[in-house]
Structures are given as C-alpha cells and as structure tokens.
Amino acid sequence: MFLWIATFWLVGSWIVPFLAHAAGFSKETLTHRGQALYSLVTDITEGLAGIAILHQCLGRFRPLPPGWFEFKLKGKWHWDVALGCLLFPLVNLLSHINISLVHMSSGPVAGVSSVEQSIVARDPVAMALYAVVVTVCAPMWEEIVFRGFLLPSLTRYMPLPWSILLSAVAFALAHFNVQRVLPLIFLGVVMGGVFARSRNLLASTVLHSLWNGFVFLDLMK
C-alpha cells in the first residue's frame, strides 16, 4: 500500500506532468477538452500502475485463494447495490456537515476544479471524458485496491468489521480532501459492506460508479 501511494503520487504529480511538458503541453493552457483528456490519461496511468504493483507484489502468493479479485455477474448482488444506493442521501448529508465543519477560505475561482469549469462551459466532449473518468476508471481501480486487496488483507489481522472500517478510512484519506473525509469514510464502509456480503468486486464497483455518477449529475444542475 505504501508503494502504491508513492506511485500514485509520482504518476499524478510528476511523471504525467513531465511527459506532457516534454511533449509541449501545459495543463494550465489546455482547453476544457484538453484538461479532460489529461485527467483521463492520468487516471488510466495511475490505475495501470497500481494494478501492476499488485500483480508484482502478489506474485509469490499465486495462485491466490478463491474469492480474490472476483468480478461475477451471477448472484443477488444487485440487491446489495440497490440497498447501498438508498444510503446516498445520507452520504450527501454527511458531505454538507463535513463542509460546514471545515473552515472554508474565501478565495475565488482558483478553487474551482477543471470538472466544474467544463460543466459551467457546457462542453459536451469534456463532460463525456470526465464522465468516463469518474464512472468507469476511478471506481474500477479504487475498488481493486481498497476492497479487492486491502480489505481482505486486513482480515488476517483483525475482525471483518474493523477491516471494513480501516479500509474505508484509508480510502477516504487517499482522496487528500479534508472537506470530504466523513462522507468518504461512510461511503467506504457501505461499499466494504456490499463487497463483504456479495464477495464480488463488481457489486462494490457498480455502487462506486453510481455514487460518482450521482455526484457528477448533481454538479451539472
């Protein structure tokens, strides 16, 4: 996990920006579509790097026991996902509470994300690229790392409820956003619970994707 965090930081903060600069691009001067494509490439690169680290580090444990990194269409996991979706309003409430607890600086437009700028500009191509990032790429690799690897690994050292909670805390902290810690911890617990019940990464990935889509559509209002 420490290796993954370090690689995540290196790829997003140094490697991709360096390669973009070497190719003659500057993120600050890119159009909305350029920034969306930049985010997509960065997210894919971070995801592939994380999966490569897992593949390498788990090499000496192969073949892995049954139940690791399983994506299954069969089963009644749809009901677990539906139940998780019913908790979205509570996650949203926690988000508002968290924001109210954090002292927000009154700086202007510099804090507006590139996603929000593209939505304000109503650029359909940029919005479609961001939609792919938040509903496909990010849920896929985040679930592989946090629910697929970290959560079951922790069960070797502690009971399942504590493993779910600790993996949820790690999931929240990995977003490096103090304004979203509470909702992300709760969301991580919900997705961890869905994964633990279904033993299916597809279930938690779909729920994660639906939450991100819910937030994305809310920004578009």
Side-chain angles (χ1 to χ4, degrees):
M1 287 304 295
F2 283 116
L3 185 59
W4 172 79
I5 291 170
T7 305
F8 178 83
W9 176 74
L10 280 172
V11 169
S13 301
W14 292 94
I15 296 177
V16 173
F18 174 78
L19 293 176
H21 180 74
F25 297 104
S26 173
K27 185 181 179 182
E28 291 72 24
T29 59
L30 290 174
T31 63
H32 293 306
R33 297 181 183 185
Q35 290 189 5
L37 183 60
Y38 181 93
S39 295
L40 179 61
V41 171
T42 302
D43 207 85
I44 291 175
T45 307
E46 290 171 341
L48 292 176
I51 292 171
I53 288 172
L54 283 179
H55 184 269
Q56 186 67 25
C57 292
L58 295 177
R60 63 192 180 98
F61 298 104
R62 281 196 290 267
L64 294 173
W68 282 74
F69 303 108
E70 285 192 351
F71 288 83
K72 301 176 293 186
L73 285 173
K74 295 181 180 179
K76 299 180 179 180
W77 57 271
H78 312 82
W79 297 107
D80 296 322
V81 172
L83 183 61
C85 289
L86 293 178
L87 296 174
F88 282 178
L90 182 54
V91 180
N92 208 25
L93 176 63
L94 285 173
S95 180
H96 290 299
I97 293 174
N98 199 156
I99 291 174
S100 66
L101 291 176
V102 176
H103 296 290
M104 303 288 291
S105 60
S106 58
V109 193
V112 179
S113 70
S114 56
V115 181
E116 293 169 315
Q117 291 174 9
S118 297
I119 291 174
V120 170
R122 294 297 175 185
D123 187 318
V125 175
M127 291 165 67
L129 290 173
Y130 281 124
V132 172
V133 172
V134 300
T135 62
V136 179
C137 300
M140 180 71 71
W141 68 259
E142 287 180 10
E143 290 309 303
I144 288 174
V145 171
F146 290 102
R147 256 63 64 178
F149 169 69
L150 181 59
L151 194 160
S153 298
L154 290 172
T155 58
R156 180 179 179 182
Y157 308 101
M158 60 188 71
L160 179 61
W162 285 106
S163 301
I164 292 175
L165 179 60
L166 188 56
S167 63
V169 171
F171 168 73
L173 295 178
H175 285 76
F176 303 108
N177 190 337
V178 70
Q179 298 174 21
R180 298 166 60 196
V181 168
L182 288 180
L184 285 175
I185 290 176
F186 182 76
L187 188 66
V189 168
V190 172
M191 292 187 296
V194 167
F195 171 71
R197 276 178 53 86
S198 63
R199 302 291 179 183
N200 185 359
L201 267 179
L202 183 59
S204 59
T205 302
V206 169
L207 181 61
H208 194 155
S209 176
L210 290 172
W211 166 254
N212 285 2
F214 173 79
V215 174
F216 189 74
L217 290 174
D218 191 54
L219 287 174
M220 292 174 61
K221 290 179 181 178

